[in-house]
Amino acid sequence: MITEAVMLQVRLGMEKKYEEAFREASPLIASMKGYKGHELQRCLEVKGKYLLLVQWEQLEDHTDGFSQSSEYQKWKELLHHFYEPFPDVEHFEQVNLEKGKPVYGP
């Protein structure tokens, strides 16, 4: 499983509208192949700052699937105008912390 992590800075004063738009956009991403779940977290210390975490079965489900889809175009239309600056998207895989197991790989 891959975790997409995005630190989002929403234009000040637009937080409520952003959260409403995000609720509307959520079913778009949830309908995609390889989608496992997502959450949006609001920062307690910095107004307008959010953390988006999306779980995908594999990297390509996000990069080739969702990002190239008509659903993404609607997602973009609903959400991208809220961001200042535009965020960087990063992908992570879990590190195996069991003793005696390789750190990388299954």
Side-chain angles (χ1 to χ4, degrees), residues 38-89:
H38 74 284
E39 59 185 84
L40 181 67
Q41 298 185 19
R42 183 185 316 115
C43 182
L44 298 176
E45 291 81 18
V46 180
K47 189 168 176 58
K49 189 174 187 178
Y50 293 82
L51 172 63
L52 171 62
L53 299 170
V54 185
Q55 289 78 39
W56 298 99
E57 285 182 19
Q58 55 187 347
L59 178 63
E60 294 76 18
D61 292 327
H62 176 231
T63 57
D64 298 337
F66 182 58
S67 295
Q68 304 299 318
S69 70
S70 60
E71 289 86 352
Y72 177 73
Q73 294 307 312
K74 179 67 173 170
W75 172 275
K76 190 168 134 177
E77 180 184 316
L78 287 168
L79 300 174
H80 284 196
H81 65 280
F82 287 103
Y83 305 134
E84 185 61 45
F86 195 77
D88 291 322
V89 176

